[in-house]
Amino acid sequence: MPLPHRLLTSLAVRLNGQIYLFDAGEGTQLGWKKARLGLRGFKLLAVTHLHADHCLGIPGLMMLRSQIDDPGPLTILGPPGIRELITQVQRLLEFYVNYPVHFIEWCEDRQEPAYEDEQVRIFWQPLRHTRFCLGYRLEERERPGKFSPERARALGIPAGPLWGKLQKGETVSMSDGRQIPPERVVGPKRQGRRIAFVVD
């Protein structure tokens, strides 16, 4: 049960301003506010199962998100019944939502990954529990290599906008006519980070 200093199950992953949320137990918006996550980047909610301590915070979060102008679409992943739960609560409470909600419910023949965008891929698998439950794995896409300020200085590249361009994978032109490709100052690409969310 939620207590004054103990909130229910929820995990937010913030990556380059985008937020991927796993579960939303009752009072999740309190923890959200306390963590100062902001709502504009909240783009995905993945629900493990339809037990109250994992999903009763969804209506409050959706209403909170509706308080900003043009928050963008929200994707909700979850077990069969997640769409019905949310649409019925919204209908009965008549709360306002100013953004499209896209539901992706588990089904046996669904292709992996369950969700993907330019930053991450999210996979899901059923778990053993008293009712149908999903575990999730978030995989960050391959990351750029590490930028070396020492190499950049040795090549005479001044700190500032040129460093930023190199870090984005762009070749830069120097005032003396030299063309410096990013490979000269950026290491090899790195494997993306991974987070598993497996509960109950």
Side-chain angles (χ1 to χ4, degrees), residues 31-47:
W32 191 283
K33 285 287 198 179
K34 189 174 181 180
R36 299 181 181 179
L37 290 173
L39 290 161
R40 193 158 298 283
F42 176 28
K43 68 182 301 181
L44 177 127
L45 168 62
V47 179

Side-chain angles (χ1 to χ4, degrees), residues 63 84-96:
M63 287 185 268
E84 182 183 2
L85 170 73
I86 293 170
T87 55
Q88 289 290 346
V89 169
Q90 184 183 358
R91 182 182 64 81
L92 291 169
L93 298 182
E94 298 181 345
F95 66 80
Y96 172 70

Side-chain angles (χ1 to χ4, degrees), residues 18-20 41-45 65 73-75 115 117-118:
Q18 303 295 309
I19 300 172
Y20 307 87
F42 176 28
K43 68 182 301 181
L44 177 127
L45 168 62
R65 194 171 188 265
L74 176 67
T75 298
Y115 170 86
D117 62 22
E118 69 284 350

Side-chain angles (χ1 to χ4, degrees), residues 10 23 40 45 65 67 71 74 85 90 101 178-180:
S10 191
D23 276 351
R40 193 158 298 283
L45 168 62
R65 194 171 188 265
Q67 293 177 15
L74 176 67
L85 170 73
Q90 184 183 358
V101 179
R178 288 181 299 148
Q179 297 285 309
I180 311 281

Side-chain angles (χ1 to χ4, degrees), residues 9-174:
T9 306
S10 191
L11 172 73
V13 177
R14 183 167 53 190
L15 182 60
N16 299 319
Q18 303 295 309
I19 300 172
Y20 307 87
L21 184 69
F22 295 85
D23 276 351
E26 183 181 350
T28 293
Q29 72 250 41
L30 299 176
W32 191 283
K33 285 287 198 179
K34 189 174 181 180
R36 299 181 181 179
L37 290 173
L39 290 161
R40 193 158 298 283
F42 176 28
K43 68 182 301 181
L44 177 127
L45 168 62
V47 179
T48 57
H49 62 293
L50 299 181
H51 274 163
D53 56 328
H54 294 264
C55 63
L56 279 188
I58 298 173
L61 266 180
M62 292 180 70
M63 287 185 268
L64 186 65
R65 194 171 188 265
S66 292
Q67 293 177 15
I68 60 175
D69 293 330
D70 192 25
L74 176 67
T75 298
I76 298 179
L77 304 178
I82 188 66
R83 176 197 299 266
E84 182 183 2
L85 170 73
I86 293 170
T87 55
Q88 289 290 346
V89 169
Q90 184 183 358
R91 182 182 64 81
L92 291 169
L93 298 182
E94 298 181 345
F95 66 80
Y96 172 70
V97 172
N98 61 342
Y99 49 87
V101 179
H102 176 60
F103 292 94
I104 303 174
E105 289 189 342
W106 166 269
C107 63
E108 287 290 340
D109 58 352
R110 180 159 184 86
Q111 297 295 311
E112 293 277 22
Y115 170 86
E116 63 183 319
D117 62 22
E118 69 284 350
Q119 294 198 115
V120 302
R121 299 187 309 160
I122 297 177
F123 298 85
W124 53 6
Q125 284 296 319
L127 305 174
R128 290 183 190 154
H129 192 29
T130 55
R131 72 177 306 171
F132 186 82
C133 182
L134 292 163
Y136 291 96
R137 185 176 78 249
L138 178 145
E139 294 185 358
E140 181 184 26
R141 292 189 184 274
E142 194 173 56
R143 295 184 290 160
K146 288 188 177 181
F147 177 76
S148 172
E150 296 79 20
R151 283 194 221 159
R153 288 190 195 95
L155 289 168
I157 306 168
L162 294 180
W163 283 20
K165 287 183 177 181
L166 288 163
Q167 290 176 58
K168 291 177 185 172
E170 299 175 25
T171 297
V172 298
S173 300
M174 302 296 290

